[in-house]
Amino acid sequence: MTTTTPSRGRRRAPSRMERAAGKAAALQRPRVILALLLLLALVCVMLLDGYLRAEVGGDQRVRTGASSSDVPDDILNGGPIVTFRGGQATTVSVPDKTIALTFDDGPNPTWTPEVLAILEKYDVPGTFFLVGSMVSRYPGIVEDMVDQGHEVGIHTFTHVDLSYQSDARVRREMEQTQLALAGAAGITTTLFRAPYSSQTDAIDNYSWPVYEKLGQDGYTSVFVDTDSDDWKRPGVAKIVQWATPEKNEGASVLFHDAGGERSQTIAALPKYIEKMRAKGYTFTTISGVLNQQQAQAPAGAPGAGGTRLQAAHREATGTILYEGKALVAAVAVAEAAVPTLSVGLMVVGVAVMGRFGMMLLLARRHHRQRNRRRFSWGPTVTRPVSVIVPAYNEKECIANTLDSLARSTHPIEIIVVDDGSTDGTADIAESLGMPNVRVIRQANAGKPAALNNGVRSARYDIVVMMDGDTVFEPDTVRQLVQPFADPEVGAVAGNAKVGNRTTVIGAWQHIEYVMGFNLDRRMYDLLRCMPTIPGAIGAFRREAVLQAGGMSEDTLAEDTDITIALHRAGWRVVYQEHARAWTEAPGSLKQLWSQRYRWSYGTMQALWKHRKSLTDKGPSGRFGRVGMPLVVLFQIVTPVFAPLIDVFTVYAMIFVDLRASLLAWCAVLGVQLLCAAYAFRLDREKYRYLLMMPLQQLAYRQMMYLVLIHSCVTALTGGRLRWQKLKRTGEVGTPAGASR
């Protein structure tokens, strides 16, 4: 064994490295927080959208038949308007030959504008009791309504029966609707109508305290004398008949401009207005009725002798105005974002399903092709090869790694490039006394520099690269180098496997390696656009690596970078499934995040660096024409959207249809399980690990989403990362029976 120490004296002090690592970690924390905030913002937008889309209609209370023994008789039998002026509950009736035309459940983008057009045509004022969630979704309609001189009142924010709600919920329903009105039209209102309580006889012992409390807060509760029951869609004639008061009595009349299909209401409204005018009726608003009653009140009566009642509308000023505008803006974002994301997810869903189908077909074809008895790359490759092991603080693993190489059935030389380790890695490698091992020490310069040092020092024309925490099977090198019998092959990807798969995190990564990586590599191999030779196990023609300029330090994914460079240089890159390597996967979520962050960000860097491959011509342009779009779609775009499938599933389960949403999610999971099971069959793996897959989809995929968002933020902000060292345990060895 020989030892080379070309740069021992220039080794960096550990304290400096630790300071650099600490500085890099500090720079990353804001990006992690930003990634989490983006996910939180998305969840908030979806919750807001679902909250706003609560169904309006149905017109029935939560409970019926409650006692009204605590409600004053003069309230139950009085007029339709209940006020609390002077602290005393009183009712107000609509004067004879007068109609207060009221509308519930709006605004609606289809029916409310048609109602407004009819009222404008006949010069009739209306009082609209609006649902706050609808106001925030369609603020322009409310603004037009107020500009045309109509009156608005509160119909709660979510059209909920307030009789059985807490005081906090009642207060929230009112305040949120006031905010929506302030943001939409710059006003607040004192008028209120409770859902499912059209007439005063609907007041019971549960709801009466609600009206009393709202009255103390300055609200006027409005009921009706005459209900058109247009929500039942009985026909135009019936609607007109039911809305007509008896004799010449005045009435507060109820129609609906939302909450369902309202074409019959639109047809009945002009006929009703014409009929009532023919009978000598006039139309007014609720505030008009109150002001008229106040003017006619005898001296000494509650509220008499004072100024005219303030209009129901008050100009919104101060905090409520700005908060209202913020609410309307947030709703506009939700209204735009959720449908857009829904369409995007549909497209991504189709793409993902198409990818699964393509992977299954091509993986099967690849497996059948490469495992035919007559298949051959050419003459058997028997010449020695150089195995390069870059190592940085690998004291736990380096002995196992070199031990596994010592059992190789193919002639090899082993070059350990110690990249400034501070834990005695190089000393351990030397102490093993292996005759075919050379240890090269260099100052800490990063993994690409270590690999390049090894390539320059290699004696043979084929170099195998592996990680310092990886172990090979005895037959791995022999299997890995056989494709080099084809002179067009410049690099070969091996089959990397997770050795520490007994933990939950290890099992998740095992599934990912078998399904996500190896099925992909089979597909990319047949398409001749393999994007990455894994750092754990890959082989290269030394000539091809030097021709490409060596392993570049431009990106964190030097393996992806060199692979794309070889494609562009005209070399073929293939996958050898029988060349297996066992690697120690990260054992904690923090370590896993660190590794995948580097992979994800490095892949983006490599794709950007080689963006001109899109315009490459001839055979060398195949990666740009086929591989680049596939990698961007399947390794960047779909991973960003794929976790949203889970988020949208929860959204749909809560706000849309629980059963259908759950079935759809299970169907997608079933397709993934099918693909995973086939991948496990090809790799002859045990199926029991697939039991972890549902949990993997729920937890692991969300983490990968955050990692990718973190990488995107880093890319956009121009961040840089150093070669990160993961904590190793050295527990992975060559499995028993691996030589088979």
Side-chain angles (χ1 to χ4, degrees), residues 415-488:
I415 304 173
V416 178
V417 183
D418 183 77
D419 187 46
S421 296
T422 58
D423 65 348
T425 297
D427 296 334
I428 294 173
E430 291 174 343
S431 67
L432 296 176
M434 296 181 180
N436 59 339
V437 172
R438 281 189 289 155
V439 177
I440 300 176
R441 301 174 187 257
Q442 66 175 37
N444 180 259
K447 186 177 181 180
L451 290 171
N452 287 332
N453 199 347
V455 171
R456 288 192 299 269
S457 304
R459 295 192 179 105
Y460 304 113
D461 65 331
I462 296 176
V463 293
V464 173
M465 298 180 186
M466 65 184 299
D467 289 336
D469 58 1
T470 302
V471 296
F472 279 6
E473 297 176 2
D475 205 35
T476 295
V477 175
R478 187 185 69 83
Q479 292 282 0
L480 187 63
V481 300
Q482 294 312 308
F484 289 107
D486 182 347
E488 293 183 357

Side-chain angles (χ1 to χ4, degrees), residues 599-654:
W599 287 4
S600 178
Y601 183 43
T603 298
M604 292 181 187
Q605 290 178 309
L607 293 176
W608 180 253
K609 176 181 177 180
H610 294 281
R611 61 191 180 278
K612 291 185 179 180
S613 65
L614 292 168
T615 58
D616 288 346
K617 305 297 183 182
S620 61
R622 184 171 181 79
F623 179 83
R625 295 191 302 270
V626 181
M628 178 76 80
L630 288 178
V631 174
V632 171
L633 179 62
F634 294 141
Q635 294 189 27
I636 298 178
V637 177
T638 53
V640 166
F641 283 92
L644 300 184
I645 294 174
D646 302 323
V647 179
F648 264 79
T649 298
V650 175
Y651 168 86
M653 288 170 63
I654 297 173

